Amino acid sequence: MLMLTYSYNNIPKYKIEKMARELGMVYPDEVKSYFEKK
């Protein structure tokens, strides 16, 4: 049990972000929005 807790606390943030991006995470400023003129 201690080993599981230890391993999760030592995951670098860049690896967490990489895994999240592989699952489809995007930042709000990366999303381009457009508005249709009526």
Side-chain angles (χ1 to χ4, degrees):
M1 191 68 173
L2 180 63
M3 190 65 163
L4 289 175
T5 305
Y6 179 76
S7 65
Y8 283 120
N9 290 334
N10 284 335
I11 298 175
K13 289 186 178 187
Y14 74 92
K15 283 190 177 183
I16 294 172
E17 183 177 353
K18 182 182 178 202
M19 289 187 284
R21 286 186 176 274
E22 287 173 357
L23 293 172
M25 182 196 83
V26 291
Y27 288 107
D29 59 339
E30 294 176 344
V31 178
K32 293 183 180 182
S33 61
Y34 68 95
F35 297 98
E36 293 182 13
K37 290 186 177 183
K38 292 183 179 182

